[in-house]
Amino acid sequence: MGRRWRDGVGELVVEGDGESGGGDVIVPVEIARSYRARARGLLGRDRIGGAMLLTPAGSVHTFGMRMAIDVAYLDRRFRVISVRTMRPGRLGLPRVRSRHVLEAEAGVMAGWGVRVGARVTVRAEE
């Protein structure tokens, strides 16, 4: 829980059921830990193959983005406390308990089973 992340890649594991009715869902994830990586985020991209974890983070914006995104706010135990879809040019409201934010292309998180109360795990490649 007190892990110090580095910028890089890994796997996002969404515990529980996805639309497939199976168990855990595993998705590639980019980890943005440094100020520079978090500030850049998904800016200038037309798509992302998987998700991006911004850590630490309590809110996001979509100014300068080319696509709508799903945003999941996570608490310190990586439990989902809120999920929103944001169009480009929006400012997300800060979530007081949020310690991490997941971003992905709009519409994909529901299929992964990312919803309020779901728990996720991030496995970073060393």
Side-chain angles (χ1 to χ4, degrees):
M1 306 303 159
R3 178 176 170 121
R4 297 292 292 180
W5 300 96
R6 283 195 214 144
D7 294 344
V9 295
E11 293 179 328
L12 172 71
V13 180
V14 182
E15 298 175 8
D17 296 333
E19 281 183 356
S20 64
D24 295 348
V25 176
I26 299 173
V27 178
V29 66
E30 295 177 40
I31 300 168
R33 167 65 173 93
S34 68
Y35 175 79
R36 184 176 183 175
R38 284 181 286 132
R40 184 179 50 232
L42 297 176
L43 293 175
R45 296 192 194 188
D46 293 320
R47 62 182 322 256
I48 179 173
M52 177 172 277
L53 174 71
L54 306 173
T55 183
S59 66
V60 295
H61 69 82
T62 57
F63 299 116
M65 288 207 183
R66 298 178 180 171
M67 62 182 172
I69 60 171
D70 282 349
V71 177
Y73 297 88
L74 311 174
D75 67 13
R76 69 180 74 236
R77 292 185 175 88
F78 286 84
R79 189 152 312 267
V80 178
I81 58 176
S82 180
V83 181
R84 298 284 181 261
T85 299
M86 294 177 62
R87 296 190 322 259
R90 303 289 185 224
L91 178 62
L93 295 174
R95 302 299 193 273
V96 176
R97 293 182 6 241
S98 178
R99 296 295 180 266
H100 317 279
V101 174
L102 275 175
E103 297 179 339
E105 287 187 36
V108 300
M109 285 191 185
W112 298 341
V114 176
R115 61 183 142 276
V116 174
R119 189 174 182 319
V120 301
T121 305
V122 176
R123 297 188 291 224
E125 290 182 7
E126 298 295 328

